[in-house]
Amino acid sequence: GQSLEQPSEVTAVEGAIVQINCTYQTSGFYGLSWYQQHDGGAPTFLSYNALDGLEETGRFSSFLSRSDSYGYLLLQELQMKDSASYFCAVTAAGNKLTFGGGTRVLVKP
Amino acid sequence: DVKVTQSSRYLVKRTGEKVFLECVQDMDHENMFWYRQDPGLGLRLIYFSYDVKMKEKGDIPEGYSVSREKKERFSLILESASTNQTSMYLCASSLPAEGEQYFGPGTRLTVT
C-alpha cells in the first residue's frame, strides 16, 4: 500500500518562502504530484515529478528524490491568494493517486 | 475549457436510502475516478475506471459501487447509505498517462 506524511499546517507572511515536505512509503511508484485546494473549491493540479530534481513553474517549484522517498513543494513570494490546502500525491500505474492528508497554508499580511 | 461536472453540490439523504452521484466530463478522457474527502485524511480513492464498462476498486470501495456505461459519465452508487458515508465526494478525470487529474466541484453528502 501507500502512505504519505506532510505537515498539517504552516503559517507565513506575505512575501515569504514556504516549503512543504512530503515523505512517502509506496509500492509501484511512478511520480509525485501536488494539488492546491482553496476552501470550498476543487483540487487543482500544480505539478508532477517523475524524475529526481527540481521543477519550476513560476513562483512554485517541486522537488523529488526517489532514493529518499521524499519531495517538497516550494512556494515563493507568498501572496494572500496562496492561502489554501496543498496535497502531495503518489502516482501509480494508470494515473491512480494516493493523497497525503494535506497541509493548510495560512498567509498573513 | 476543460470541465468536470457533478450532479449536485449538496445532498441530504436518510440512512438506508440508495444514492446516485453523477459525474460528467467533456474532455474525452479515458480515466475517471471517485474520491471522498474527510478532514485530516486527504482524498481517498473509492473506485476508478479506465474505459467504458471497466471498473477497479480503489482504497475504500466498501459500501459503494460504480457504473460507467458511457465514456463521459461515471456514476457512484451508495446501495444503502449510512451515516459514516457523510462526506465530500469528488470526481476526477484524466488521460491514460500519468499526470494531471481534473476535478469536479464536489458533492457534499449528508446522511441522517
Side-chain angles (χ1 to χ4, degrees):
Chain A
Q2 327 271 33
S3 69
L4 295 93
E5 294 281 339
Q6 56 180 124
S8 59
E9 193 169 300
V10 173
T11 301
V13 295
E14 271 187 300
I17 298 173
V18 161
Q19 179 172 315
I20 303 171
N21 297 322
C22 176
T23 57
Y24 59 86
Q25 292 183 322
T26 181
S27 56
F29 178 86
Y30 277 62
L32 191 69
S33 301
W34 289 92
Y35 284 77
Q36 178 192 60
Q37 186 180 31
H38 287 99
D39 284 348
T44 56
F45 174 82
L46 292 176
S47 67
Y48 173 69
N49 294 64
L51 303 175
D52 286 358
L54 189 68
E55 298 271 349
E56 297 180 71
T57 309
R59 295 186 296 112
F60 294 180
S61 303
S62 58
F63 172 83
L64 175 64
S65 168
R66 294 173 72 113
S67 60
D68 295 322
S69 297
Y70 164 77
Y72 66 72
L73 179 70
L74 193 69
L75 316 178
Q76 301 181 79
E77 301 171 24
L78 271 181
Q79 302 176 8
M80 296 298 291
K81 67 179 181 180
D82 298 329
S83 289
S85 292
Y86 294 83
F87 296 89
C88 60
V90 163
T91 302
N95 209 19
K96 178 185 171 185
L97 295 180
T98 300
F99 284 83
T103 299
R104 192 170 185 86
V105 173
L106 178 61
V107 181
K108 294 187 172 180
Chain B
D1 199 16
V2 298
K3 204 165 185 182
V4 179
T5 56
Q6 296 183 227
S7 48
S8 306
R9 287 303 305 268
Y10 300 93
L11 207 53
V12 180
K13 295 291 182 181
R14 292 193 180 274
T15 301
E17 280 192 85
K18 190 169 187 175
V19 181
F20 293 86
L21 302 182
E22 303 284 339
C23 175
V24 177
Q25 50 97 2
D26 66 359
M27 296 164 281
D28 202 35
H29 284 167
E30 284 81 359
N31 295 359
M32 294 189 76
F33 309 83
W34 273 106
Y35 298 89
R36 64 177 282 175
Q37 183 173 22
D38 301 287
L41 298 177
L43 286 76
R44 292 179 291 166
L45 183 63
I46 304 171
Y47 267 96
F48 58 106
S49 169
Y50 293 134
D51 204 346
V52 175
K53 297 195 185 295
M54 294 185 68
K55 59 185 178 184
E56 298 280 344
K57 292 181 180 178
D59 300 315
I60 51 163
E62 297 78 18
Y64 304 95
S65 63
V66 290
S67 172
R68 193 163 181 203
E69 296 296 319
K70 294 185 177 181
K71 190 176 185 179
E72 67 272 17
R73 189 179 298 269
F74 192 34
S75 302
L76 180 69
I77 303 154
L78 288 66
E79 294 289 342
S80 178
S82 64
T83 54
N84 62 12
Q85 292 178 309
T86 291
S87 186
M88 171 67 82
Y89 289 87
L90 290 157
C91 174
S93 72
S94 79
L95 293 170
E98 289 70 33
E100 181 172 2
Q101 288 191 10
Y102 297 85
F103 283 83
T107 295
R108 184 164 294 282
L109 173 67
T110 302
V111 183
T112 62

